[in-house]
């Protein structure tokens, strides 16, 4: 259980924030080299975008299903749910064969572990609710991950650059943010440390509502590419 706070800022603001946070900001265990690593997310939705339409209607509860691929080719099927501002992310690691089965036929894997079976049951409920599902978009970006830890409660901070999107059956990419911008996400269980709050205030970095998939959906609506029957 955690809160995810999102910010859209310039590369200059990012660099200044890193300096202000100083030695309390260290690279995350998954990013010890400090080199930005690629992430691919494939989002699933219906032909008429029922999932994202519900998500953008500001409901108390919303959910998205995505396949996430990391640089080392680790594959995860993720169900990301949000209820009254609190994020619950549940995921199952997949083998290449299981991933191919899901991508091609939406076949969920099988597991013996009780906790993983509980996650799979929630994914099945999602699949049953939204039928038929297709793979509308792929979103790629480069991420740098940090941990900010002057307090007992560690805070994870990530910066995403070069965020781009394409429909999975096309080759042309579209930028989701400007090339001189980054998306920052702060994941925290309770409250932000005072030093972090002061740094954000000093640099006039304010939280915003931003969803990568939601941004794509809004772009499609704006250019009239989505038609509802």
């Amino acid at each position: 259980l955690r809160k995810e706070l999102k910010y859209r800022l310039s590369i200059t603001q990012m660099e200044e924030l890193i300096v202000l946070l100083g030695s309390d900001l260290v690279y995350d265990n998954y990013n010890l080299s400090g080199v930005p690593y690629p992430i691919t997310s494939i989002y699933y939705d219906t032909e008429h975008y029922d999932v994202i339409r519900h998500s953008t209607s500001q409901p108390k509860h919303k959910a998205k299903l995505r396949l996430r691929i990391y640089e080392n080719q680790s594959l995860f099927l993720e169900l990301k749910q949000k209820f009254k501002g609190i994020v619950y992310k549940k995921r199952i690691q997949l083998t290449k064969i299981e991933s191919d089965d899901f991508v091609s036929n939406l076949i969920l894997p099988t597991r013996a572990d009780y906790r993983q079976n509980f996650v799979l049951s929630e994914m099945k409920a999602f699949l049953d609710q939204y039928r038929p599902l297709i793979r509308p978009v792929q979103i790629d970006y480069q991420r740098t991950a940090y941990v900010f830890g002057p307090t007992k409660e560690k805070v994870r901070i990530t910066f995403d650059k070069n965020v781009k999107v394409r429909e999975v059956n096309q080759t042309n990419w579209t930028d989701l943010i400007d090339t001189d911008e980054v998306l920052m996400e702060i994941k925290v269980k309770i409250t932000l440390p005072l030093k972090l709050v002061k740094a954000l205030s000093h640099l006039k970095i304010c939280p915003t509502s931003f969803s990568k998939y939601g941004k794509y959906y809004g772009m499609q609506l704006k250019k009239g590419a989505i038609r509802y029957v």
Side-chain angles (χ1 to χ4, degrees):
L1 289 77
R2 63 188 182 187
K3 294 180 181 179
E4 291 184 354
L5 306 174
K6 299 182 180 181
Y7 305 79
R8 189 170 175 173
L9 58 155
S10 69
I11 291 178
T12 299
Q13 285 177 306
M14 177 191 73
E15 293 170 344
E16 291 176 341
L17 178 63
I18 290 171
V19 171
L20 283 178
L21 296 181
S23 60
D24 288 323
L25 188 70
V26 298
Y27 290 119
D28 182 85
N29 286 336
Y30 297 102
N31 193 197
L32 290 176
S33 68
V35 177
Y37 58 94
I39 295 178
T40 291
S41 294
I42 298 175
Y43 286 85
Y44 291 81
D45 209 329
T46 66
E47 179 183 359
H48 299 298
Y49 296 89
D50 294 300
V51 174
I52 192 61
R53 286 172 63 194
H54 175 73
S55 181
T56 56
S57 67
Q58 298 183 336
K60 290 184 179 179
H61 176 269
K62 54 187 177 182
K64 298 174 189 172
L65 186 68
R66 67 189 180 195
L67 180 67
R68 178 160 280 190
I69 306 166
Y70 290 94
E71 182 179 19
N72 61 0
Q73 295 305 302
S74 296
L75 301 160
F76 293 88
L77 188 62
E78 298 183 343
L79 182 64
K80 187 173 182 180
Q81 299 166 300
K82 192 171 185 179
F83 180 70
K84 293 184 177 180
I86 304 298
V87 175
Y88 307 79
K89 188 167 75 173
K90 301 164 185 176
R91 67 182 189 173
I92 296 289
Q93 186 165 9
L94 305 178
T95 65
K96 181 63 167 62
I97 293 176
E98 289 171 336
S99 172
D100 291 343
D101 282 345
F102 188 82
V103 168
S104 300
N105 301 301
L106 296 179
I107 297 174
L108 289 169
T110 58
R111 294 289 186 272
D113 180 78
Y114 170 79
R115 287 172 295 183
Q116 291 189 330
N117 272 325
F118 177 76
V119 173
L120 287 167
S121 69
E122 293 206 27
M123 291 179 174
K124 184 179 184 304
F126 181 93
L127 293 174
D128 290 340
Q129 180 180 0
Y130 294 102
R131 287 182 176 273
L133 280 181
I134 58 175
R135 307 184 311 280
V137 298
Q138 174 182 334
I139 298 176
D140 283 13
Y141 49 95
Q142 300 283 324
R143 168 166 287 182
T144 308
Y146 296 87
V147 174
F148 182 70
T151 62
K152 184 178 179 180
E153 183 62 49
K154 298 291 185 180
V155 176
R156 190 165 191 255
I157 303 175
T158 59
F159 297 99
D160 296 340
K161 296 191 294 185
N162 303 322
V163 186
K164 55 187 180 179
V165 60
R166 70 175 180 180
E167 295 187 17
V168 292
N169 59 351
Q170 297 183 359
T171 57
N172 295 329
W173 292 92
T174 300
D175 292 331
L176 280 180
I177 59 174
D178 295 336
T179 55
D180 62 347
E181 284 186 313
V182 296
L183 294 176
M184 179 174 70
E185 191 169 80
I186 300 178
K187 300 178 177 68
V188 60
K189 289 185 178 179
I190 306 176
T191 58
L192 296 181
L194 182 58
K195 183 176 180 178
L196 179 54
V197 172
K198 288 183 175 180
L200 294 172
S201 176
H202 176 74
L203 295 172
K204 296 181 173 57
I205 299 173
C206 301
T208 185
S209 176
F210 191 95
S211 158
K212 296 181 181 76
Y213 181 37
K215 174 68 173 179
Y216 161 80
Y217 172 71
M219 291 166 62
Q220 294 298 95
L221 280 177
K222 189 174 181 179
K223 69 179 185 180
I226 296 176
R227 303 291 185 189
Y228 297 123
V229 177

